[in-house]
Short mmCIF file of all heavy atoms in Angstrom, two decimals:
data_model
loop_
_atom_site.label_atom_id
_atom_site.label_comp_id
_atom_site.label_asym_id
_atom_site.label_seq_id
_atom_site.Cartn_x
_atom_site.Cartn_y
_atom_site.Cartn_z
N THR A 76 -12.33 1.87 -13.73
CA THR A 76 -12.80 0.55 -13.40
C THR A 76 -13.09 -0.18 -14.73
O THR A 76 -12.81 -1.41 -14.75
CB THR A 76 -14.16 0.67 -12.55
OG1 THR A 76 -15.12 1.30 -13.34
CG2 THR A 76 -13.86 1.35 -11.23
N GLU A 77 -13.50 0.47 -15.72
CA GLU A 77 -13.75 -0.20 -16.92
C GLU A 77 -12.46 -0.68 -17.61
O GLU A 77 -12.48 -1.73 -18.24
CB GLU A 77 -14.56 0.72 -17.96
CG GLU A 77 -16.00 0.91 -17.64
CD GLU A 77 -16.76 1.40 -18.86
OE1 GLU A 77 -16.20 2.15 -19.65
OE2 GLU A 77 -17.95 1.00 -18.95
N SER A 78 -11.45 0.19 -17.51
CA SER A 78 -10.27 -0.25 -18.22
C SER A 78 -9.40 -1.18 -17.47
O SER A 78 -8.54 -1.87 -18.18
CB SER A 78 -9.43 1.00 -18.58
OG SER A 78 -9.03 1.71 -17.45
N LEU A 79 -9.54 -1.31 -16.24
CA LEU A 79 -8.60 -2.17 -15.41
C LEU A 79 -9.23 -3.54 -15.17
O LEU A 79 -8.55 -4.47 -14.86
CB LEU A 79 -8.20 -1.52 -14.12
CG LEU A 79 -7.26 -0.34 -14.16
CD1 LEU A 79 -6.80 0.03 -12.74
CD2 LEU A 79 -6.10 -0.68 -15.06
N LYS A 80 -10.50 -3.68 -15.37
CA LYS A 80 -11.17 -4.94 -15.11
C LYS A 80 -10.58 -6.01 -16.12
O LYS A 80 -10.55 -5.75 -17.30
CB LYS A 80 -12.63 -4.92 -15.35
CG LYS A 80 -13.36 -6.10 -14.91
CD LYS A 80 -14.88 -6.04 -14.87
CE LYS A 80 -15.51 -7.35 -14.70
NZ LYS A 80 -16.97 -7.33 -14.59
N GLY A 81 -10.06 -7.17 -15.58
CA GLY A 81 -9.55 -8.17 -16.41
C GLY A 81 -8.03 -8.03 -16.62
O GLY A 81 -7.42 -8.83 -17.34
N LYS A 82 -7.51 -7.00 -16.19
CA LYS A 82 -6.01 -6.63 -16.37
C LYS A 82 -5.26 -7.41 -15.35
O LYS A 82 -5.72 -7.65 -14.20
CB LYS A 82 -5.78 -5.19 -16.39
CG LYS A 82 -6.29 -4.36 -17.54
CD LYS A 82 -5.42 -4.61 -18.77
CE LYS A 82 -5.82 -3.67 -19.93
NZ LYS A 82 -7.20 -3.74 -20.26
N LYS A 83 -3.97 -7.71 -15.64
CA LYS A 83 -3.01 -8.24 -14.61
C LYS A 83 -2.54 -7.10 -13.83
O LYS A 83 -2.29 -6.04 -14.28
CB LYS A 83 -1.93 -8.99 -15.35
CG LYS A 83 -2.32 -10.27 -15.99
CD LYS A 83 -1.13 -10.96 -16.46
CE LYS A 83 -1.42 -12.26 -17.18
NZ LYS A 83 -0.54 -12.52 -18.32
N LYS A 84 -2.20 -7.45 -12.56
CA LYS A 84 -1.55 -6.51 -11.66
C LYS A 84 -0.36 -5.77 -12.28
O LYS A 84 -0.20 -4.64 -12.20
CB LYS A 84 -1.12 -7.24 -10.41
CG LYS A 84 -2.10 -6.99 -9.19
CD LYS A 84 -1.68 -8.04 -8.09
CE LYS A 84 -0.77 -7.36 -7.12
NZ LYS A 84 -0.54 -8.32 -5.86
N ALA A 85 0.40 -6.58 -12.97
CA ALA A 85 1.59 -6.08 -13.54
C ALA A 85 1.41 -5.07 -14.61
O ALA A 85 2.24 -4.25 -14.90
CB ALA A 85 2.51 -7.31 -14.01
N ASP A 86 0.24 -5.25 -15.29
CA ASP A 86 -0.04 -4.23 -16.33
C ASP A 86 -0.52 -2.88 -15.77
O ASP A 86 -0.45 -1.85 -16.44
CB ASP A 86 -1.20 -4.74 -17.22
CG ASP A 86 -0.79 -5.97 -17.97
OD1 ASP A 86 0.35 -6.18 -18.15
OD2 ASP A 86 -1.68 -6.83 -18.26
N VAL A 87 -0.93 -2.86 -14.56
CA VAL A 87 -1.62 -1.66 -14.00
C VAL A 87 -0.60 -0.61 -13.82
O VAL A 87 -0.87 0.61 -14.15
CB VAL A 87 -2.27 -1.95 -12.60
CG1 VAL A 87 -2.87 -0.65 -12.05
CG2 VAL A 87 -3.39 -3.00 -12.83
N GLN A 88 0.64 -0.96 -13.38
CA GLN A 88 1.72 0.10 -13.25
C GLN A 88 1.94 0.80 -14.59
O GLN A 88 2.05 2.11 -14.65
CB GLN A 88 2.97 -0.51 -12.73
CG GLN A 88 4.16 0.47 -12.69
CD GLN A 88 4.00 1.46 -11.48
OE1 GLN A 88 3.75 0.96 -10.35
NE2 GLN A 88 4.08 2.69 -11.74
N GLN A 89 2.00 0.04 -15.64
CA GLN A 89 2.22 0.60 -17.02
C GLN A 89 1.10 1.48 -17.37
O GLN A 89 1.40 2.60 -17.88
CB GLN A 89 2.42 -0.48 -17.94
CG GLN A 89 2.95 -0.08 -19.30
CD GLN A 89 2.97 -1.24 -20.34
OE1 GLN A 89 2.05 -2.03 -20.39
NE2 GLN A 89 4.02 -1.21 -21.18
N ILE A 90 -0.14 1.00 -17.20
CA ILE A 90 -1.27 1.95 -17.57
C ILE A 90 -1.29 3.18 -16.77
O ILE A 90 -1.48 4.29 -17.23
CB ILE A 90 -2.58 1.14 -17.38
CG1 ILE A 90 -2.62 -0.07 -18.29
CG2 ILE A 90 -3.81 2.00 -17.79
CD1 ILE A 90 -3.68 -1.06 -18.08
N PHE A 91 -0.96 3.04 -15.44
CA PHE A 91 -0.91 4.20 -14.55
C PHE A 91 0.17 5.19 -15.08
O PHE A 91 -0.12 6.37 -15.12
CB PHE A 91 -0.49 3.73 -13.14
CG PHE A 91 -0.12 4.91 -12.16
CD1 PHE A 91 -1.18 5.49 -11.42
CD2 PHE A 91 1.19 5.36 -12.07
CE1 PHE A 91 -0.90 6.64 -10.65
CE2 PHE A 91 1.44 6.50 -11.21
CZ PHE A 91 0.40 7.11 -10.52
N ASP A 92 1.37 4.66 -15.44
CA ASP A 92 2.37 5.57 -15.93
C ASP A 92 1.95 6.34 -17.24
O ASP A 92 2.18 7.53 -17.40
CB ASP A 92 3.68 4.80 -16.29
CG ASP A 92 4.35 4.22 -15.05
OD1 ASP A 92 4.06 4.81 -13.99
OD2 ASP A 92 5.12 3.30 -15.12
N ARG A 93 1.23 5.64 -18.12
CA ARG A 93 0.76 6.32 -19.27
C ARG A 93 -0.33 7.36 -18.93
O ARG A 93 -0.34 8.46 -19.51
CB ARG A 93 0.08 5.27 -20.22
CG ARG A 93 1.04 4.35 -20.86
CD ARG A 93 0.31 3.34 -21.74
NE ARG A 93 1.18 2.41 -22.42
CZ ARG A 93 0.83 1.26 -22.95
NH1 ARG A 93 -0.44 0.96 -23.01
NH2 ARG A 93 1.73 0.42 -23.47
N VAL A 94 -1.21 7.03 -18.02
CA VAL A 94 -2.27 8.01 -17.67
C VAL A 94 -1.65 9.24 -17.02
O VAL A 94 -2.04 10.35 -17.28
CB VAL A 94 -3.35 7.37 -16.75
CG1 VAL A 94 -4.32 8.36 -16.30
CG2 VAL A 94 -4.11 6.22 -17.59
N HIS A 95 -0.71 8.89 -16.14
CA HIS A 95 -0.01 10.02 -15.44
C HIS A 95 0.66 10.96 -16.34
O HIS A 95 0.42 12.20 -16.24
CB HIS A 95 0.93 9.39 -14.46
CG HIS A 95 1.54 10.35 -13.38
ND1 HIS A 95 2.69 10.97 -13.41
CD2 HIS A 95 0.89 10.85 -12.28
CE1 HIS A 95 2.83 11.74 -12.43
NE2 HIS A 95 1.80 11.80 -11.70
N GLU A 96 1.45 10.39 -17.28
CA GLU A 96 2.17 11.16 -18.24
C GLU A 96 1.11 12.03 -19.12
O GLU A 96 1.33 13.25 -19.36
CB GLU A 96 2.91 10.19 -19.18
CG GLU A 96 3.41 10.83 -20.46
CD GLU A 96 4.82 11.40 -20.36
OE1 GLU A 96 5.46 11.15 -19.24
OE2 GLU A 96 5.38 12.02 -21.23
N MET A 97 0.05 11.36 -19.49
CA MET A 97 -0.92 11.98 -20.29
C MET A 97 -1.68 13.15 -19.64
O MET A 97 -1.79 14.23 -20.22
CB MET A 97 -1.99 10.94 -20.70
CG MET A 97 -3.09 11.43 -21.69
SD MET A 97 -4.19 10.10 -22.16
CE MET A 97 -5.06 9.88 -20.55
N VAL A 98 -2.05 13.01 -18.34
CA VAL A 98 -2.71 14.15 -17.70
C VAL A 98 -1.81 15.24 -17.33
O VAL A 98 -2.27 16.36 -17.13
CB VAL A 98 -3.60 13.69 -16.50
CG1 VAL A 98 -4.69 12.74 -16.86
CG2 VAL A 98 -2.79 13.09 -15.31
N MET A 99 -0.47 14.93 -17.09
CA MET A 99 0.46 15.87 -16.76
C MET A 99 0.91 16.76 -18.01
O MET A 99 1.19 17.89 -17.89
CB MET A 99 1.68 15.26 -16.16
CG MET A 99 1.50 14.57 -14.88
SD MET A 99 1.07 15.78 -13.51
CE MET A 99 2.78 16.41 -13.20
N THR A 100 1.03 16.07 -19.19
CA THR A 100 1.72 16.71 -20.25
C THR A 100 0.76 16.74 -21.53
O THR A 100 1.17 17.46 -22.50
CB THR A 100 2.95 15.96 -20.65
OG1 THR A 100 2.62 14.63 -21.21
CG2 THR A 100 3.90 15.85 -19.47
N GLY A 101 -0.25 15.85 -21.61
CA GLY A 101 -1.05 15.74 -22.79
C GLY A 101 -0.45 14.81 -23.83
O GLY A 101 -1.13 14.56 -24.83
N ARG A 102 0.69 14.30 -23.50
CA ARG A 102 1.28 13.33 -24.51
C ARG A 102 0.69 11.94 -24.20
O ARG A 102 0.56 11.49 -23.10
CB ARG A 102 2.70 13.17 -24.17
CG ARG A 102 3.55 14.34 -24.98
CD ARG A 102 5.02 13.94 -25.10
NE ARG A 102 5.67 13.74 -23.74
CZ ARG A 102 6.24 14.63 -23.00
NH1 ARG A 102 6.29 15.93 -23.44
NH2 ARG A 102 6.72 14.35 -21.89
N VAL A 103 0.26 11.27 -25.29
CA VAL A 103 -0.22 9.92 -25.15
C VAL A 103 0.82 8.94 -25.69
O VAL A 103 1.24 9.05 -26.83
CB VAL A 103 -1.51 9.74 -26.00
CG1 VAL A 103 -2.07 8.22 -25.94
CG2 VAL A 103 -2.58 10.74 -25.54
N THR A 104 1.27 8.12 -24.76
CA THR A 104 2.33 7.21 -25.13
C THR A 104 1.71 5.74 -24.96
O THR A 104 1.32 5.33 -23.93
CB THR A 104 3.52 7.29 -24.17
OG1 THR A 104 3.01 7.18 -22.81
CG2 THR A 104 4.25 8.56 -24.32
N GLY A 105 1.58 5.04 -26.10
CA GLY A 105 0.92 3.70 -26.08
C GLY A 105 -0.56 3.76 -26.03
O GLY A 105 -1.13 4.87 -26.07
N ASP A 106 -1.13 2.65 -25.99
CA ASP A 106 -2.59 2.57 -26.13
C ASP A 106 -3.14 2.82 -24.80
O ASP A 106 -2.99 2.02 -23.79
CB ASP A 106 -2.92 1.12 -26.59
CG ASP A 106 -4.43 0.91 -26.77
OD1 ASP A 106 -5.20 1.98 -26.85
OD2 ASP A 106 -4.87 -0.19 -26.90
N VAL A 107 -4.02 3.86 -24.68
CA VAL A 107 -4.74 4.10 -23.49
C VAL A 107 -6.31 3.94 -23.62
O VAL A 107 -7.04 4.06 -22.63
CB VAL A 107 -4.44 5.53 -22.89
CG1 VAL A 107 -3.05 5.67 -22.47
CG2 VAL A 107 -4.80 6.62 -23.96
N GLY A 108 -6.70 3.49 -24.84
CA GLY A 108 -8.07 3.36 -25.09
C GLY A 108 -8.93 4.50 -24.74
O GLY A 108 -8.52 5.69 -25.14
N LYS A 109 -10.10 4.32 -24.08
CA LYS A 109 -10.93 5.42 -23.78
C LYS A 109 -10.36 6.51 -22.84
O LYS A 109 -10.89 7.61 -22.73
CB LYS A 109 -12.21 4.79 -23.05
CG LYS A 109 -13.28 4.38 -23.96
CD LYS A 109 -14.53 4.25 -23.08
CE LYS A 109 -15.55 3.29 -23.69
NZ LYS A 109 -16.58 2.99 -22.69
N LEU A 110 -9.33 6.03 -22.08
CA LEU A 110 -8.75 6.84 -21.16
C LEU A 110 -8.21 8.19 -21.91
O LEU A 110 -7.90 9.22 -21.23
CB LEU A 110 -7.59 6.23 -20.30
CG LEU A 110 -8.16 5.04 -19.52
CD1 LEU A 110 -7.02 4.23 -19.04
CD2 LEU A 110 -8.95 5.54 -18.33
N ALA A 111 -8.08 8.13 -23.11
CA ALA A 111 -7.57 9.27 -23.93
C ALA A 111 -8.42 10.55 -23.72
O ALA A 111 -8.02 11.65 -23.96
CB ALA A 111 -7.47 8.97 -25.42
N VAL A 112 -9.63 10.32 -23.28
CA VAL A 112 -10.54 11.49 -23.01
C VAL A 112 -9.91 12.53 -21.96
O VAL A 112 -10.32 13.65 -21.93
CB VAL A 112 -11.91 11.16 -22.60
CG1 VAL A 112 -12.59 10.33 -23.71
CG2 VAL A 112 -11.97 10.39 -21.30
N PHE A 113 -8.91 12.05 -21.19
CA PHE A 113 -8.33 12.86 -20.17
C PHE A 113 -7.11 13.58 -20.58
O PHE A 113 -6.47 14.26 -19.82
CB PHE A 113 -8.14 12.02 -18.89
CG PHE A 113 -9.34 11.60 -18.22
CD1 PHE A 113 -9.70 10.18 -18.37
CD2 PHE A 113 -10.11 12.48 -17.53
CE1 PHE A 113 -10.93 9.84 -17.85
CE2 PHE A 113 -11.37 12.02 -16.97
CZ PHE A 113 -11.69 10.65 -17.09
N ALA A 114 -6.73 13.35 -21.85
CA ALA A 114 -5.48 14.02 -22.38
C ALA A 114 -5.57 15.59 -22.28
O ALA A 114 -4.63 16.24 -22.11
CB ALA A 114 -5.24 13.57 -23.75
N GLY A 115 -6.81 16.05 -22.38
CA GLY A 115 -6.96 17.59 -22.36
C GLY A 115 -6.87 18.15 -21.02
O GLY A 115 -6.75 19.41 -20.81
N VAL A 116 -6.86 17.29 -19.93
CA VAL A 116 -6.81 17.75 -18.56
C VAL A 116 -5.56 18.54 -18.25
O VAL A 116 -5.54 19.41 -17.39
CB VAL A 116 -7.03 16.62 -17.59
CG1 VAL A 116 -6.78 16.98 -16.17
CG2 VAL A 116 -8.48 16.05 -17.76
N HIS A 117 -4.47 18.22 -18.97
CA HIS A 117 -3.15 18.91 -18.63
C HIS A 117 -3.25 20.37 -18.81
O HIS A 117 -2.55 21.17 -18.18
CB HIS A 117 -2.08 18.39 -19.46
CG HIS A 117 -2.05 18.84 -20.89
ND1 HIS A 117 -2.78 18.41 -21.82
CD2 HIS A 117 -1.21 19.83 -21.42
CE1 HIS A 117 -2.53 18.97 -23.08
NE2 HIS A 117 -1.59 19.94 -22.66
N LYS A 118 -4.33 20.85 -19.62
CA LYS A 118 -4.48 22.27 -19.76
C LYS A 118 -5.09 23.03 -18.56
O LYS A 118 -5.17 24.16 -18.53
CB LYS A 118 -5.35 22.56 -20.97
CG LYS A 118 -4.80 22.15 -22.29
CD LYS A 118 -5.79 22.42 -23.44
CE LYS A 118 -5.49 21.49 -24.67
NZ LYS A 118 -6.79 21.33 -25.48
N PHE A 119 -5.58 22.16 -17.63
CA PHE A 119 -6.21 22.72 -16.39
C PHE A 119 -5.45 22.14 -15.17
O PHE A 119 -5.92 21.12 -14.64
CB PHE A 119 -7.73 22.23 -16.41
CG PHE A 119 -8.38 22.50 -17.73
CD1 PHE A 119 -8.45 21.56 -18.73
CD2 PHE A 119 -9.02 23.83 -17.93
CE1 PHE A 119 -9.08 21.87 -19.88
CE2 PHE A 119 -9.62 24.06 -19.12
CZ PHE A 119 -9.69 23.09 -20.11
N PRO A 120 -4.36 22.76 -14.84
CA PRO A 120 -3.57 22.11 -13.82
C PRO A 120 -4.24 21.78 -12.54
O PRO A 120 -3.96 20.74 -11.92
CB PRO A 120 -2.40 23.22 -13.57
CG PRO A 120 -2.40 24.00 -14.86
CD PRO A 120 -3.74 23.99 -15.39
N ALA A 121 -5.23 22.59 -12.17
CA ALA A 121 -5.99 22.30 -10.96
C ALA A 121 -6.79 20.99 -10.99
O ALA A 121 -7.19 20.46 -9.95
CB ALA A 121 -6.91 23.45 -10.63
N ARG A 122 -7.02 20.56 -12.22
CA ARG A 122 -7.88 19.31 -12.44
C ARG A 122 -7.07 18.02 -12.55
O ARG A 122 -7.63 16.96 -12.60
CB ARG A 122 -8.76 19.44 -13.76
CG ARG A 122 -9.69 20.58 -13.61
CD ARG A 122 -10.94 20.12 -12.69
NE ARG A 122 -11.57 21.29 -12.21
CZ ARG A 122 -12.56 21.21 -11.31
NH1 ARG A 122 -12.85 20.06 -10.78
NH2 ARG A 122 -13.04 22.29 -10.89
N VAL A 123 -5.74 18.22 -12.65
CA VAL A 123 -4.81 17.05 -12.84
C VAL A 123 -5.05 16.06 -11.67
O VAL A 123 -5.09 14.93 -11.78
CB VAL A 123 -3.40 17.46 -13.09
CG1 VAL A 123 -2.45 16.24 -13.00
CG2 VAL A 123 -3.19 18.17 -14.44
N LYS A 124 -5.02 16.65 -10.48
CA LYS A 124 -5.15 15.84 -9.34
C LYS A 124 -6.55 15.12 -9.20
O LYS A 124 -6.61 14.02 -8.66
CB LYS A 124 -4.91 16.65 -8.03
CG LYS A 124 -3.46 17.00 -7.94
CD LYS A 124 -3.15 17.96 -6.73
CE LYS A 124 -1.76 18.48 -6.87
NZ LYS A 124 -1.12 18.53 -5.59
N CYS A 125 -7.57 15.79 -9.72
CA CYS A 125 -8.84 15.14 -9.78
C CYS A 125 -8.75 13.90 -10.67
O CYS A 125 -9.33 12.89 -10.39
CB CYS A 125 -9.94 16.10 -10.33
SG CYS A 125 -10.00 17.66 -9.44
N ALA A 126 -8.10 14.04 -11.79
CA ALA A 126 -8.15 12.98 -12.85
C ALA A 126 -7.24 11.86 -12.38
O ALA A 126 -7.44 10.69 -12.74
CB ALA A 126 -7.55 13.55 -14.15
N ILE A 127 -6.26 12.10 -11.54
CA ILE A 127 -5.21 11.05 -11.22
C ILE A 127 -5.63 10.36 -9.80
O ILE A 127 -5.04 9.36 -9.49
CB ILE A 127 -3.80 11.58 -11.17
CG1 ILE A 127 -2.84 10.48 -11.44
CG2 ILE A 127 -3.46 12.29 -9.92
CD1 ILE A 127 -2.75 9.95 -12.81
N LEU A 128 -6.57 10.93 -9.12
CA LEU A 128 -6.88 10.46 -7.76
C LEU A 128 -7.15 8.99 -7.72
O LEU A 128 -6.61 8.30 -6.86
CB LEU A 128 -8.05 11.29 -7.18
CG LEU A 128 -8.54 10.85 -5.80
CD1 LEU A 128 -7.47 11.12 -4.74
CD2 LEU A 128 -9.78 11.70 -5.40
N ALA A 129 -8.15 8.54 -8.48
CA ALA A 129 -8.50 7.16 -8.45
C ALA A 129 -7.32 6.26 -8.77
O ALA A 129 -7.21 5.12 -8.20
CB ALA A 129 -9.69 6.89 -9.46
N TRP A 130 -6.45 6.75 -9.67
CA TRP A 130 -5.31 6.00 -10.05
C TRP A 130 -4.34 5.78 -8.86
O TRP A 130 -3.75 4.69 -8.56
CB TRP A 130 -4.53 6.50 -11.24
CG TRP A 130 -5.42 6.40 -12.47
CD1 TRP A 130 -6.34 7.29 -12.83
CD2 TRP A 130 -5.49 5.32 -13.32
NE1 TRP A 130 -6.97 6.72 -13.99
CE2 TRP A 130 -6.40 5.61 -14.29
CE3 TRP A 130 -4.75 4.10 -13.40
CZ2 TRP A 130 -6.71 4.71 -15.36
CZ3 TRP A 130 -5.06 3.27 -14.48
CH2 TRP A 130 -6.04 3.58 -15.43
N HIS A 131 -4.06 6.83 -8.12
CA HIS A 131 -3.26 6.74 -6.94
C HIS A 131 -3.89 5.75 -5.86
O HIS A 131 -3.19 5.01 -5.26
CB HIS A 131 -3.06 8.07 -6.23
CG HIS A 131 -2.11 8.97 -6.97
ND1 HIS A 131 -0.79 8.51 -7.12
CD2 HIS A 131 -2.19 10.26 -7.34
CE1 HIS A 131 -0.13 9.54 -7.80
NE2 HIS A 131 -0.90 10.55 -7.91
N ALA A 132 -5.24 5.78 -5.76
CA ALA A 132 -5.94 4.90 -4.84
C ALA A 132 -5.74 3.44 -5.26
O ALA A 132 -5.48 2.63 -4.44
CB ALA A 132 -7.46 5.24 -4.83
#
Side-chain angles (χ1 to χ4, degrees):
T76 61
E77 284 200 328
S78 60
L79 292 187
K80 189 173 172 178
K82 292 283 190 303
K83 287 188 184 147
K84 260 167 94 173
D86 297 331
V87 177
Q88 177 73 51
Q89 190 185 39
I90 300 170
F91 172 87
D92 289 342
R93 285 179 186 167
V94 171
H95 193 258
E96 167 90 8
M97 184 178 72
V98 298
M99 294 291 284
T100 68
R102 278 197 301 273
V103 179
T104 54
D106 181 15
V107 293
K109 274 196 204 172
L110 298 167
V112 298
F113 294 103
V116 167
H117 78 282
K118 294 179 201 155
F119 310 91
R122 295 282 157 190
V123 167
K124 289 175 188 218
C125 305
I127 206 72
L128 176 64
W130 291 89
H131 282 307

